[in-house]
Amino acid sequence: MAYFINFGLIWKYIPEFLQGLGLGLVLAAISLFFGMIVGILLAFCAISKNKFAHRFASGYVTVLRNIPLLVLTFFCYFGLPDAGIMLSKNASFVFALSLYAGAYLTEVFRAGLKSISPGIVEAGAAIGLRKYQVMLSIQLPIMFRNVLPSLSNNFISLFKDTSLASSITIVELTYLARKVNTITFRVIEVWLIVGLMYMVTCYLIAFLLRLIERRLQIK
Amino acid sequence: MNFWASIVASQTTLLTGLWNTISSSLLAIAISTVVGILFGIILAYGNRIVKIPFRIYVDVIRGIPGLVIVFSVYYFIDFWLRSIGFALPPFAAGFIALSVNAGAHVTENVRGALQSIPKGQIDAGKAIGMRFGQILWYILIPQAVVRMLPPWLNTITEIVKGSSLLALIGVAELLLTTQQLIAKYNNALFYYAYVGVIYLIINVAIESVGKYAEKKIGRGINA
Amino acid sequence: MSQNLLEIRSLEKWFGKLQVFSDVDLDIRQGEVVSIIGSSGSGKTTLLRCINLLEPFQKGTIRLNGEEIGYKEVGARRVRLPESLIARQRIHTGMVFQQFNLFPHMTVLKNVTLGLTKVQKLSAADARAQAEKWINRVGLADKINAYPSQLSGGQQQRVAIARAIAMNPLVMLFDEATSALDPELVGEVLQVIKELAQDGNTMILVTHEMRFAYEISDKVIFMDKGKVAKVGTPKEIFEDRDLPRLQEFLSTFNVDLGGRRAEDRDH
């Protein structure tokens, strides 16, 4: 049985592929948003002097970083209903990915907070700001600029992780790739094109985010 | 049957799954480390043209999700083997895919570790008459190992976690056996939590061994 | 006529389009101590690195003990020798670096024995004996099992000297051996270098320690803008009255130092 590379047969699926890619980006963006909330809260726990808060943060990070995202995804989608928590496919995946991202982002934000010299925080206290005011008006803005490059990298990782959504039949790019693979049997073409689409998207995001970073950098 | 009774009853199935997770991870760790050291040395010290294919390998792999690599490798190899009349065991495709993926990361780690060693070390090796191979073996690699140990441990954890993806191509590793048990006994909540804890234990164990090794081999460098 | 141990003829070195030095000629006899001085960027360090074949050079020849090193003529073409041959030729030159460049993952002893066992293929026992002898000579017998990070800069540099001289080279090269040291640690290193000079070792030093260069050298070379501007005895160099660039350079080091010492000695 001879096999001739023929991209023509795949061509008509490209719009569908692009939609799937878009869904992946949306899932990643939403998860990044919730993950950042988790990350910021836990980062403040991690640097706090309260032992309990500190342990909770480091425990969370250890657990979430050492469990496969796929297990977490299945846990949230198939497991949580046993506990009476019913989420849609998309919601449960975003939930899982946000929890997962939260662990990585805690580390990012913790490092970002630590890199702020204590003098700046003390200066805030010295002019009479309350603790939460120091956090909101001093620590957070400085930290965000410090961690922008890591945030970009995390977003790209999250985007790649959205391929796991295919495992719970969310119709994103990897899911479509498997589907078209089964329909057309154009194994080589499908996976080459889909791999290329992921790659181009990742490098494009990296490029765009680098532009934004440069704009926001403290001169 | 309650959860713990079912766990006990399915002991052997789970252990087979655990064995497949561990063996595919170990194979991937071994292969990606050998590949990564070799490619990393080439990227750090090779000539500009020789480097190109290795650079492409690393950058392409890093731009593609692990799961897509798993599927691609699985379908590509399977497709090719079928055309010459063989069937592909998913396990083989699985550890190869994990190796291909992790190999790119180890390559970058090795390259970074080697390039972070001050150039004076090479000069000093040359000055006492050593050939490049000797400088590499006695001076650069021992120092690079210390520097690349933390990211390498990270990669190992990623490999162990990544091995769960092999469930999706039908390798009966931990996750897939867990799914089979859930099909039999239900109770997805506890089973997924249980298997999560097993992964957690494996990775925490790796981490603590790694921390110990870091201290052991870091003498003189991590003062 | 005594034969020159090291003969450099019309050496020329470029970094891309930038000429580092040209027309460098230099003769060094067995047992001579030669200092190279000059402002930074004058090409002294690069010259030393060329002698140790750590840098390629574009023109000229270096002969060590009568044998041309680093390059050979193939027909009309000049080709750099393969690295394996160059490595063998480097055995005859010992180099001490400004940044010490000790191997941080090895003890003092291992730092010194590495070349002896792997390059000179001495047995472990012979290498150890040889290394211990030199580690004692630089006064670090009690640090033999320490790692470089546990030593002061001065101690590290003394280990580096032991590592180089233990290979029994024909000529020792010192590249600003004390420039990276805290002032209070300079003396102990200079003392070691001085003792090696008194033992009759052939040495070339690139240095900013003018007083030391004056005392220790048989010959001083002043490099300026990539040329050998003047060669002479320490006295001729430090009491120079003809070369404005040299006087200008020396004045930045408290010019009186050399002159006054010279007069002291005359009395």
Side-chain angles (χ1 to χ4, degrees):
Chain A
M1 181 182 75
Y3 184 94
F4 298 102
I5 300 284
N6 185 347
F7 284 99
L9 294 170
I10 303 301
W11 194 243
K12 64 174 178 190
Y13 294 103
I14 294 286
E16 219 178 324
F17 281 171
L18 285 172
Q19 265 179 17
L21 187 106
L23 179 59
L25 285 170
V26 171
L27 291 174
I30 300 173
S31 305
L32 179 72
F33 175 75
F34 288 118
M36 275 166 59
I37 294 176
V38 175
I40 289 170
L41 292 177
L42 288 178
F44 276 110
C45 289
I47 63 161
S48 91
K49 288 178 189 91
N50 183 320
K51 239 186 199 163
F52 177 77
H54 181 84
R55 285 212 185 126
F56 176 75
S58 74
Y60 180 91
V61 171
T62 305
V63 171
L64 269 291
R65 283 184 69 151
N66 285 318
I67 289 178
L69 177 59
L70 191 55
V71 171
L72 191 63
T73 304
F74 286 165
F75 178 82
C76 292
Y77 185 59
F78 297 113
L80 287 184
D82 287 359
I85 303 168
M86 295 285 249
L87 294 170
S88 72
K89 279 189 282 194
N90 285 341
S92 73
F93 184 74
V94 165
F95 184 58
L97 194 54
S98 303
L99 289 178
Y100 190 71
Y104 287 85
L105 292 169
T106 300
E107 289 294 275
V108 169
F109 290 132
R110 192 182 56 86
L113 286 175
K114 281 223 157 153
S115 70
I116 302 173
S117 72
I120 294 179
V121 178
E122 282 160 19
I127 57 170
L129 292 178
R130 285 161 180 274
K131 214 169 180 187
Y132 75 91
Q133 289 173 317
V134 173
M135 267 185 200
L136 287 180
S137 60
I138 298 178
Q139 285 173 290
L140 278 181
I142 299 178
M143 177 199 70
F144 262 104
R145 292 183 185 192
N146 286 344
V147 303
L148 268 178
S150 313
L151 279 185
S152 307
N153 290 338
N154 267 282
F155 179 65
I156 292 168
S157 294
L158 289 178
F159 168 60
K160 290 198 285 177
D161 287 337
T162 59
S163 65
L164 297 196
S166 63
S167 67
I168 53 172
T169 66
I170 290 176
V171 188
E172 50 66 71
L173 186 53
T174 305
Y175 180 87
L176 288 167
R178 295 182 73 183
K179 191 185 97 181
V180 175
N181 187 22
T182 320
I183 298 172
T184 63
F185 287 111
R186 306 313 298 180
V187 180
I188 310 271
E189 294 89 332
V190 169
W191 292 103
L192 277 183
I193 284 187
V194 167
L196 193 71
M197 284 174 77
Y198 271 113
M199 196 176 83
V200 170
T201 312
C202 285
Y203 283 104
L204 210 64
I205 300 171
F207 174 73
L208 290 177
L209 291 179
R210 204 122 309 145
L211 282 186
I212 297 174
E213 276 163 37
R214 221 169 290 158
R215 288 224 161 170
L216 290 177
Q217 241 159 35
I218 304 171
K219 298 268 158 55
Chain B
M1 206 184 310
N2 80 17
F3 173 67
W4 293 108
S6 73
I7 288 274
V8 173
S10 49
Q11 207 51 262
T12 20
T13 321
L14 270 176
L15 278 178
T16 319
L18 180 64
W19 170 243
N20 281 332
T21 289
I22 291 177
S23 55
S24 61
S25 299
L26 282 179
L27 281 167
I29 290 165
I31 296 171
S32 64
T33 302
V34 172
V35 165
I37 289 175
L38 221 67
F39 289 9
I41 290 171
I42 293 169
L43 281 184
Y45 303 116
N47 97 17
R48 210 179 294 169
I49 295 172
V50 172
K51 279 192 223 173
I52 293 173
F54 300 96
R55 191 73 256 166
I56 292 176
Y57 160 66
V58 169
D59 288 346
V60 165
I61 293 298
R62 294 202 307 171
I64 300 177
L67 182 58
V68 173
I69 292 167
V70 168
F71 282 136
S72 302
V73 168
Y74 177 60
Y75 288 124
F76 281 9
I77 300 182
D78 180 63
F79 181 81
W80 175 70
L81 278 180
R82 260 167 220 267
S83 70
I84 57 171
F86 289 95
L88 175 74
F91 183 85
F95 78 77
I96 292 171
L98 289 180
S99 308
V100 168
N101 192 14
H105 295 273
V106 181
T107 300
E108 268 303 276
N109 295 343
V110 172
R111 183 197 60 76
L114 286 170
Q115 287 184 337
S116 72
I117 299 172
K119 236 198 121 263
Q121 292 289 309
I122 298 178
D123 286 346
K126 283 180 176 174
I128 55 172
M130 296 180 103
R131 284 175 285 111
F132 185 70
Q134 293 176 313
I135 294 173
L136 199 59
W137 184 250
Y138 295 109
I139 299 172
L140 299 174
I141 289 180
Q143 294 185 56
V145 164
V146 178
R147 287 160 200 254
M148 66 165 276
L149 196 59
W152 186 67
L153 288 167
N154 234 336
T155 305
I156 290 182
T157 304
E158 291 303 322
I159 290 174
V160 173
K161 290 201 288 178
S163 71
S164 68
L165 301 181
L166 306 188
L168 301 178
I169 57 168
V171 178
E173 44 64 75
L174 259 181
L175 183 55
L176 189 62
T177 48
T178 305
Q179 287 176 307
Q180 290 162 353
L181 293 175
I182 291 169
K184 201 163 154 191
Y185 300 110
N186 275 321
N187 213 349
L189 184 70
F190 281 104
Y191 265 107
Y192 283 125
Y194 182 73
V195 76
V197 170
I198 297 178
Y199 279 108
L200 179 65
I201 291 170
I202 297 174
N203 283 328
V204 169
I206 292 170
E207 200 178 326
S208 29
V209 172
K211 285 264 159 65
Y212 177 75
E214 263 172 59
K215 254 184 226 152
K216 268 271 151 174
I217 68 166
R219 293 205 67 183
I221 298 178
N222 304 334
Chain C
M1 189 189 93
S2 68
Q3 213 218 316
N4 288 322
L5 182 65
L6 185 72
E7 263 184 19
I8 296 176
R9 289 291 173 270
S10 35
L11 209 64
E12 194 169 312
K13 164 76 184 169
W14 297 75
F15 279 129
K17 283 184 174 168
L18 180 80
Q19 192 182 58
V20 186
F21 55 71
S22 62
D23 305 319
V24 173
D25 294 289
L26 192 58
D27 291 313
I28 294 173
R29 287 194 306 277
Q30 172 73 42
E32 248 184 337
V33 175
V34 177
S35 295
I36 306 176
I37 61 171
S39 53
S40 54
S42 60
K44 348 179 262 302
T45 288
T46 309
L47 174 58
L48 212 61
R49 289 174 61 86
C50 285
I51 297 173
N52 206 14
L53 303 175
L54 289 172
E55 295 284 350
F57 46 90
Q58 282 71 27
K59 238 174 94 179
T61 57
I62 302 177
R63 288 176 176 280
L64 187 63
N65 226 2
E67 183 200 356
E68 180 173 356
I69 58 171
Y71 294 84
K72 67 175 178 194
E73 308 289 331
V74 178
R77 272 178 58 228
R78 173 178 173 280
V79 288
R80 188 168 162 91
L81 295 174
E83 275 301 312
S84 56
L85 273 181
I86 286 190
R88 205 171 302 160
Q89 292 176 338
R90 280 203 194 97
I91 300 173
H92 304 302
T93 48
M95 180 106 170
V96 174
F97 299 90
Q98 183 176 351
Q99 300 295 342
F100 332 137
N101 296 347
L102 290 182
F103 307 129
H105 58 303
M106 294 179 181
T107 61
V108 166
L109 181 65
K110 274 289 282 182
N111 261 280
V112 182
T113 55
L114 184 68
L116 297 172
T117 54
K118 303 306 172 199
V119 177
Q120 297 194 341
K121 311 285 182 198
L122 295 188
S123 73
D126 289 351
R128 195 187 162 99
Q130 175 93 337
E132 279 176 348
K133 181 183 104 187
W134 284 108
I135 293 168
N136 288 345
R137 274 295 303 274
V138 300
L140 290 169
D142 56 327
K143 300 287 185 194
I144 199 156
N145 290 316
Y147 285 90
S149 57
Q150 298 165 321
L151 303 179
S152 73
Q155 291 171 329
Q156 290 190 46
Q157 192 60 300
R158 280 144 67 194
V159 175
I161 293 171
R163 176 174 71 181
I165 191 106
M167 299 291 287
N168 203 11
L170 295 172
V171 53
M172 282 285 287
L173 310 170
F174 293 86
D175 179 16
E176 305 197 21
T178 57
S179 296
L181 296 174
D182 292 335
E184 71 272 20
L185 301 176
V186 169
E188 61 187 68
V189 173
L190 293 183
Q191 183 58 33
V192 168
I193 298 175
K194 195 170 175 182
E195 285 167 19
L196 294 181
Q198 286 161 352
D199 289 353
N201 288 292
T202 312
M203 330 207 292
I204 307 176
L205 303 102
V206 167
T207 185
H208 289 299
E209 298 287 337
M210 292 304 142
R211 178 195 196 128
F212 183 68
Y214 180 86
E215 288 173 354
I216 195 182
S217 310
D218 299 306
K219 199 194 279 179
V220 177
I221 294 162
F222 172 60
M223 284 191 74
D224 184 39
K225 294 178 178 162
K227 304 266 186 212
V228 172
K230 181 164 180 167
V231 183
T233 64
K235 211 171 171 213
E236 285 165 349
I237 294 288
F238 287 98
E239 290 174 16
D240 175 87
R241 297 285 176 267
D242 312 323
L243 208 59
R245 291 283 301 173
L246 175 53
Q247 288 151 31
E248 190 185 318
F249 170 72
L250 288 173
S251 69
T252 62
F253 288 91
N254 187 1
V255 70
D256 282 347
L257 182 70
R260 205 188 311 119
R261 297 283 300 184
E263 282 157 23
D264 289 349
R265 216 176 262 182
D266 288 344
H267 290 162

